[in-house]
Amino acid sequence: MSEHKAASRYAKSLIDLSTEQNAFEEMKNDMVLLEQVIDQNPELEAILRNPIVPLNKKAGILDNVFGDKVHAVTKAFLKLVVSKGRAGILFAISKAFISQYNVIKGIVTAEVTSATGLTDANRAEITNIVKKENGANVVVIKEKINDKLIGGFVLKVGDRQFDASISSSLNKLKKEFAQGIV
């Protein structure tokens, strides 16, 4: 079974358990914390993935790092995953949980890359468009600035991308000139 499939199944089980325990929001916060800590500490991920490190050592490290910072259900879940020899996919599980949480809550992430920062009016317009196009309840906008765009923006939602950048338009025009279309 692929890492992605296993992570999705563990995440789904954790969602079911957290709903049953009335701890859905706490679990989401715990998974965000887990994702951030592993993402910011490559050494921790290397230890979790290393088959030579004993399982009890991995469980101890996770308990030291997250001990009193996470819900009791999360602590038990971490111990279970480690005991099954799946500590290496904890990062993938946390990402899968957050992704499934967002689907349940109707939260869509829109990545906007622009030449300059977005104005409040730009953010509001993008939010409205993404809500309408995706049936989202909430839109989270992640902004990136790329001065090579010259102007305009590139909007990415899921696997769809809309490129309204000036540099893209210029490249398209350049190709058309080269092919003698224009």
Side-chain angles (χ1 to χ4, degrees):
M1 181 177 346
S2 76
E3 181 176 298
H4 177 73
K5 270 187 180 176
S8 290
R9 288 184 179 168
Y10 274 105
K12 173 73 173 109
S13 297
L14 187 57
I15 283 175
D16 293 344
L17 180 62
S18 64
T19 303
E20 196 177 284
Q21 299 285 326
N22 292 323
F24 193 43
E25 293 301 319
E26 292 96 329
M27 300 307 282
K28 191 275 278 185
N29 294 336
D30 290 350
M31 290 299 110
V32 168
L33 176 66
L34 181 68
E35 180 189 26
Q36 288 172 344
V37 169
I38 293 174
D39 189 43
Q40 294 168 2
N41 297 288
E43 308 85 27
L44 177 60
E45 186 173 18
I47 289 169
L48 294 174
R49 287 186 174 280
N50 190 334
I52 297 170
V53 177
L55 298 181
N56 63 342
K57 185 105 168 154
K58 291 178 185 182
I61 290 169
L62 288 171
D63 193 43
N64 286 339
V65 173
F66 298 105
D68 58 353
K69 296 180 186 111
V70 295
H71 193 276
V73 174
T74 303
K75 282 176 81 166
F77 178 77
L78 292 175
K79 284 183 182 171
L80 174 74
V81 172
V82 171
S83 73
K84 298 285 184 189
R86 304 297 267 168
I89 65 169
L90 278 171
F91 184 65
I93 292 170
S94 64
K95 290 179 80 137
F97 183 97
I98 294 165
S99 176
Q100 291 175 27
Y101 172 91
N102 287 345
V103 168
I104 290 167
K105 294 289 188 173
I107 300 170
V108 173
T109 300
E111 294 178 20
V112 181
T113 306
S114 58
T116 59
L118 297 176
T119 65
D120 290 339
N122 295 142
R123 283 186 204 92
E125 188 174 345
I126 289 169
T127 299
N128 290 335
I129 291 169
V130 172
K131 277 184 177 181
K132 190 171 15 172
E133 290 291 318
N134 294 284
N137 297 327
V138 178
V139 177
V140 176
I141 297 178
K142 291 187 177 179
E143 296 180 43
K144 295 179 187 171
I145 294 178
N146 181 348
D147 55 4
K148 292 183 176 124
L149 287 181
I150 304 169
F153 64 92
V154 177
L155 172 63
K156 185 176 178 193
V157 179
D159 59 354
R160 294 183 1 208
Q161 181 169 306
F162 174 72
D163 192 340
S165 64
I166 292 174
S167 58
S168 172
S169 298
L170 289 173
N171 285 336
K172 184 177 173 188
L173 193 59
K174 185 177 170 183
K175 284 180 186 174
E176 288 175 356
F177 273 125
Q179 294 173 349
I181 296 172
V182 178

